[in-house]
Amino acid sequence: MNKRKVDVVCSPGTYKRVTIDPHYRETVAANSVPDLENYDEIVFSEYTQASTDVDSITESVNVDDPYDSSTWLQDQKKFVWLDSSTKMLIAKVKEYRPLVGKVGSLKNKSQMWNKISQDLTACGHEVNTSQVQAKYFSLERQYKKVQLHNSKTGRNRLTCPYQR
């Protein structure tokens, strides 16, 4: 049985405080991970350039200081892209991309992103248009990095988790 695990990526100051103060660790976890009870394990890590480049099979959440009101709104939760929502995003892009343009029913890509956001929200994944677009471009960038890496000789083969 697979354990569900979430990796909370913190700023260096938040990470240091999370490792020292258990009450603060609980507060950060509660504020940054929606559906906290659905995870078996929460791992805190410090934000570094390497942590953003690593392909991971766990869900990841970026966290600033939860007590800083300028960076965190107490009533707003961050959306965590799970495997099901990511796969649905990719399927919807494949479905709607041929419909964009003069011939299709969608005039431009911004309408496509808006329609995908509405479809995901209807299925219970509360995301807005900019989150959908950013996630897709992030997946696309990750795929291109893997392809570039694999095109160079003498390298170990990498695969993208959502590769066709």
Side-chain angles (χ1 to χ4, degrees):
M1 182 169 154
N2 284 341
K3 277 189 156 187
R4 292 204 31 156
K5 176 178 166 182
V6 64
D7 183 21
V8 179
V9 182
C10 306
S11 65
T14 303
Y15 177 74
K16 184 177 180 181
R17 190 165 170 195
V18 160
T19 57
I20 296 170
D21 185 4
H23 176 68
Y24 186 70
R25 180 175 36 250
E26 290 173 14
T27 304
V28 170
N31 287 336
S32 61
V33 181
D35 306 28
L36 185 62
E37 61 277 350
N38 292 337
Y39 294 98
D40 298 324
E41 183 178 358
I42 298 175
V43 177
F44 291 94
S45 59
E46 184 176 356
Y47 173 80
T48 62
Q49 183 61 33
S51 69
T52 59
D53 294 338
V54 174
D55 296 332
S56 175
I57 57 173
T58 61
E59 292 85 23
S60 181
V61 179
N62 288 325
V63 173
D64 294 320
D65 188 352
Y67 293 124
D68 185 359
S69 61
S70 65
T71 60
W72 182 263
L73 300 174
Q74 293 298 328
D75 58 349
Q76 183 180 10
K77 298 257 183 181
K78 293 186 179 187
F79 181 75
V80 178
W81 284 93
L82 301 175
D83 192 46
S84 61
S85 56
T86 304
K87 286 181 179 179
M88 186 174 182
L89 167 66
I90 293 168
K92 292 294 180 181
V93 169
K94 286 180 183 178
E95 178 184 339
Y96 291 135
R97 186 171 273 167
L99 303 177
V100 175
K102 293 179 182 177
V103 180
S105 61
L106 301 171
K107 293 184 189 271
N108 53 34
K109 284 190 178 178
S110 65
Q111 287 183 347
M112 179 185 77
W113 298 125
N114 191 22
K115 179 78 171 140
I116 292 171
S117 171
Q118 290 171 359
D119 290 350
L120 286 169
T121 301
C123 290
H125 307 290
E126 295 294 326
V127 292
N128 62 32
T129 305
S130 61
Q131 289 172 320
V132 168
Q133 188 175 3
K135 179 62 175 180
Y136 183 75
F137 288 139
S138 173
L139 290 170
E140 195 173 48
R141 188 172 48 252
Q142 182 183 14
Y143 175 76
K144 288 178 182 180
K145 276 184 181 180
V146 168
Q147 294 306 314
L148 178 65
H149 176 84
N150 290 341
S151 69
K152 297 181 180 178
T153 61
R155 299 254 177 134
N156 59 331
R157 302 290 293 170
L158 297 178
T159 57
C160 251
Y162 301 103
Q163 192 169 350
R164 300 175 199 122

